[in-house]
Amino acid sequence: MRVLGVNGWPGASHDGAACLVVDGDVIALAEEERFTRDKHAYGQAPLHAAAHCLAEGGLTLDDIDVVAHGWDLPTLFRDRGLDWFADDTEALEHLLPKALFPRSRDPRLTFVNHHIAHAASAYLLSGRDRGAILVLDGQGENESTTLAVGVDGGIKTLRSHTPGWSLGYFYAAVCDYSGLGADAAGKMMGLASYGTPQDLTMGGALAFTDEDFTVGAVPAGLRSTGGTDEENATIRHWMEHLEKTLRQPPNRSVRRFDPRTGRYARVTDHDPFDYRDLAATAQAALERAVMGLVRGLLRETGETTLMVAGGVGFNATLNGKLLRMPEVEDLFVQPLAGDQGVSLGAAVWVAAEGGDRIRPMDGSVAWGPQWAPDRIRHILDAAGTAYTEPGDIAAATAEVLAQGGVAGWFQGRAEGGPRALGHRSMVAVPAPESTRDRVNIRIKDREAWRPFAPSMQEEAAASLIGTSTPLPYMIVTTPVTDVGAEAMPAVVHRDRTTRPQTVSAAVDPLYHRLIGAVGEHTGTPVVLNTSFNGRDEPVVCSPQDALATFHRVPLDALALGPFLLRRPTGEAGA
């Protein structure tokens, strides 16, 4: 079966993406933001992403059996009193117009429940036969939390919480109150470790049991009319409650034009760092609520394997706590935990229902576009950019890093999700500790307290983080050992944890070789790894994106395929 999974809808979505699954194998996946350069691709259909996936498979829509959308949009629209299309032909034309996707026939269009798509992305691709499933996000059609169990390829939903009781929206509200912005959950997770948790009930708004939680600040049955979700209304209830109960006022922000960057930027009344205790409190409250849910879910199902998806699944600190729960013997967090992942989940769910056997993930999410060396050379020559072609790009880049440089690393197929895993990365030696400040402030133009993560050869994991369990997706935090703290201080966070990626030679031989070559200089096969992008931009996708970012930010070098670009002497970011 040939299934094109999609997320994104004109005017009513975020993180648009497309995924091609053929006979149970993931052939391609890409996010719309990587092509349009509009972060999160708000309100955009996945036109470029779908076109890429079809091209990667050598197909057109005529060859596709099913287009599977990761939302039950007909239900969503009708439940909220919004108009929907007369039939699937009109809906498909609105999503993938024939002017851009010529076809002689329409494939079947199906809409998959959002939380089922999330659950399928975790369960069917985990390689586990069975296990408990937890979906946590802002919301789906009518759920914000879903507890389920996967057995024999099927998913049984046990219970759920409504959108008003969304832990994702709670966390977003605290982000907004702190001045970070409602979509800055990753920033607040990093800020939290600098603070001290206070009242976990958030002024009486949250109540916890051993196996669940309740929300008093938002009506459980909150329902919007005239909109597709309850996000704004839920966050408004939380903001009003926080203003009434917290001593610290909200950190108001405005958008002002910054002549330095030529863009509008968020300007806050106070430094968001002043809200670190509030961030720590929200993080601790989230952890307490979710760990209770997990405890109840595992008791009810009798399972010891836990699989997690949904946007809250990007909270690596929370995932680290789940990993260390005594009830959890096996944890799989879908690395495409957000809405980009429901294109994947919808595709594999429909394929599995059609009888296909789904091939599990192997430690990589590199399913995006790639460019052959000759094409990269043509782009470099056309740009008039000086470059060399060393015999070993890994060894040459490692030498730059060993001399204190920071390099862009652009290799192979682009990866999905917000984590760069060695295909579209900025890399450096993770020592001394001041490297963190240099990369944060000078190169990425972001807050000094933001954490970085390490990529290490899997052979070194036991020495650095005390476990040899593969952690290939950089989505779980772990404590570091004394050896790790000494070897990689620039990626050890305030709470003496880090968010590691263990790199296998079998899965990513070139990146594994780069890390090993760095280790030959430093004594430890580990690098600081962060996404290759500028402030408020998506991760680079094409060679042109990489070149533009290299010329704009003070990187010392760029490994673009087999070619090495060096910053002219005197212009380096040191």
Side-chain angles (χ1 to χ4, degrees):
M1 177 179 276
R2 294 170 172 173
V3 184
L4 181 68
V6 293
N7 177 62
W9 195 257
S13 64
H14 59 87
D15 294 308
C19 174
L20 177 64
V21 174
V22 177
D23 298 332
D25 289 349
V26 179
I27 303 301
L29 181 145
E31 297 177 64
E32 190 68 10
E33 67 163 26
R34 303 297 211 266
F35 302 93
T36 65
R37 312 307 299 158
D38 183 9
K39 195 167 185 177
H40 296 301
Y42 289 109
Q44 297 176 18
L47 302 177
H48 299 82
H52 159 71
C53 290
L54 292 171
E56 186 69 26
L59 305 174
T60 71
L61 273 188
D62 279 328
D63 304 305
I64 297 298
D65 298 305
V66 183
V67 173
H69 199 289
W71 285 84
D72 186 353
L73 291 175
T75 296
L76 181 71
F77 275 59
R78 289 166 184 155
D79 280 356
R80 286 158 179 77
L82 302 173
D83 292 334
W84 187 246
F85 298 90
D87 54 40
D88 286 348
T89 298
E90 289 187 11
L92 185 63
E93 176 63 18
H94 187 68
L95 175 65
L96 301 173
K98 289 182 179 178
L100 299 178
F101 296 88
R103 53 192 182 267
S104 60
R105 64 165 191 90
D106 284 344
R108 177 165 64 91
L109 175 62
T110 189
F111 295 93
V112 179
N113 174 274
H114 188 62
H115 275 205
I116 290 295
H118 271 311
S121 76
Y123 171 45
L124 295 178
L125 288 151
S126 69
R128 281 71 168 174
D129 292 330
R130 58 183 301 145
I133 306 169
L134 180 62
V135 177
L136 296 160
D137 61 4
Q139 74 173 92
E141 294 82 10
N142 294 298
E143 309 83 18
S144 60
T145 299
T146 293
L147 288 79
V149 61
V151 180
D152 297 330
I155 295 173
K156 178 183 178 182
T157 297
L158 302 176
R159 61 185 185 276
S160 62
H161 281 308
T162 58
W165 283 17
S166 168
L167 292 173
Y169 289 162
F170 153 68
Y171 207 79
V174 179
C175 288
D176 209 20
Y177 195 93
S178 304
L180 296 169
D183 61 352
K187 290 184 182 182
M188 195 167 81
M189 181 186 70
L191 179 60
S193 69
Y194 290 90
T196 301
Q198 308 293 320
D199 173 20
L200 299 195
T201 73
M202 308 301 293
L206 291 172
F208 308 96
T209 68
D210 285 343
E211 297 185 353
D212 209 344
F213 69 94
T214 58
V215 177
V218 187
L222 181 70
R223 175 58 62 88
S224 66
T225 56
T228 56
D229 58 51
E230 282 68 54
E231 179 176 11
N232 290 338
T234 302
I235 290 178
R236 184 174 66 251
H237 277 282
W238 270 111
M239 294 290 282
E240 290 171 355
H241 173 79
L242 295 173
E243 284 196 60
K244 291 176 183 177
T245 58
L246 295 180
R247 295 180 181 178
Q248 200 171 19
N251 193 7
R252 307 290 185 188
S253 66
V254 296
R255 295 186 68 81
R256 292 181 182 152
F257 184 74
D258 183 355
R260 180 178 64 90
T261 62
R263 299 180 179 183
Y264 278 91
R266 176 187 294 271
V267 179
T268 55
D269 290 344
H270 309 282
D271 185 344
F273 191 76
D274 296 342
Y275 291 75
R276 58 193 178 277
D277 286 347
L278 177 58
T281 304
Q283 178 68 29
L286 174 70
E287 291 168 4
R288 182 168 177 181
V290 175
M291 291 172 75
L293 290 172
V294 168
R295 197 174 296 114
L297 175 60
L298 297 183
R299 179 196 57 77
E300 180 177 352
T301 61
E303 301 292 340
T304 57
T305 293
L306 176 66
M307 294 164 281
V308 178
V312 177
F314 283 134
N315 193 304
T317 302
L318 166 64
N319 295 338
K321 299 288 179 66
L322 299 181
L323 180 67
R324 292 184 285 280
M325 286 181 69
E327 299 90 341
V328 178
E329 295 182 4
D330 180 26
L331 175 68
F332 177 80
V333 182
Q334 169 54 246
L336 302 175
D339 274 13
Q340 66 282 98
V342 298
S343 66
L344 176 63
V348 296
W349 179 248
V350 169
E353 284 194 316
D356 288 343
R357 184 177 180 85
I358 306 303
R359 176 179 292 181
M361 296 175 66
D362 65 358
S364 174
V365 289
W367 294 313
Q370 62 183 329
W371 282 260
D374 285 349
R375 180 58 187 161
I376 296 175
R377 185 195 300 275
H378 175 79
I379 291 168
L380 290 170
D381 289 341
T385 300
Y387 62 90
T388 61
E389 187 176 359
D392 185 340
I393 189 63
T397 305
E399 186 172 342
V400 172
L401 305 189
Q403 294 171 358
V406 181
W409 179 256
F410 180 108
Q411 305 294 336
R413 298 185 71 172
E415 294 157 323
R419 317 288 193 215
L421 299 173
H423 287 225
R424 302 289 187 273
S425 294
M426 293 180 184
V427 288
V429 172
E433 186 176 0
S434 59
T435 301
R436 179 188 62 224
D437 297 333
R438 177 186 166 201
V439 178
N440 262 331
I441 298 169
R442 288 184 55 81
I443 293 177
K444 301 212 75 171
D445 188 25
R446 65 183 200 174
E447 299 86 352
W449 42 263
R450 297 276 295 278
F452 289 112
S455 296
M456 61 190 67
Q457 287 189 333
E458 62 179 5
E459 301 91 327
S463 172
L464 297 172
I465 57 174
T467 179
S468 57
T469 300
L471 297 170
Y473 300 117
M474 205 176 275
I475 202 166
V476 175
T477 59
T478 64
V480 300
T481 63
D482 290 342
V483 171
E486 182 177 354
M488 50 182 194
V491 296
V492 177
H493 206 27
R494 176 76 170 230
D495 56 3
R496 200 180 161 91
T497 66
T498 196
R499 178 168 45 89
Q501 176 196 8
T502 59
V503 181
S504 160
V507 173
D508 198 339
L510 181 59
Y511 193 42
H512 186 272
R513 189 151 51 85
L514 168 69
I515 298 168
V518 169
E520 291 174 6
H521 290 277
T522 65
T524 309
V526 60
V527 297
L528 178 155
N529 173 14
T530 185
S531 55
F532 192 172
N533 59 310
R535 184 184 179 96
D536 298 327
E537 294 177 342
V539 180
V540 301
C541 180
S542 70
Q544 293 91 335
D545 299 335
L547 274 176
T549 302
F550 174 67
H551 288 306
R552 189 172 62 255
V553 305
L555 288 167
D556 298 284
L558 168 60
L560 190 58
F563 309 108
L564 185 66
L565 289 66
R566 299 293 300 266
R567 183 78 62 193
T569 303
E571 295 182 17

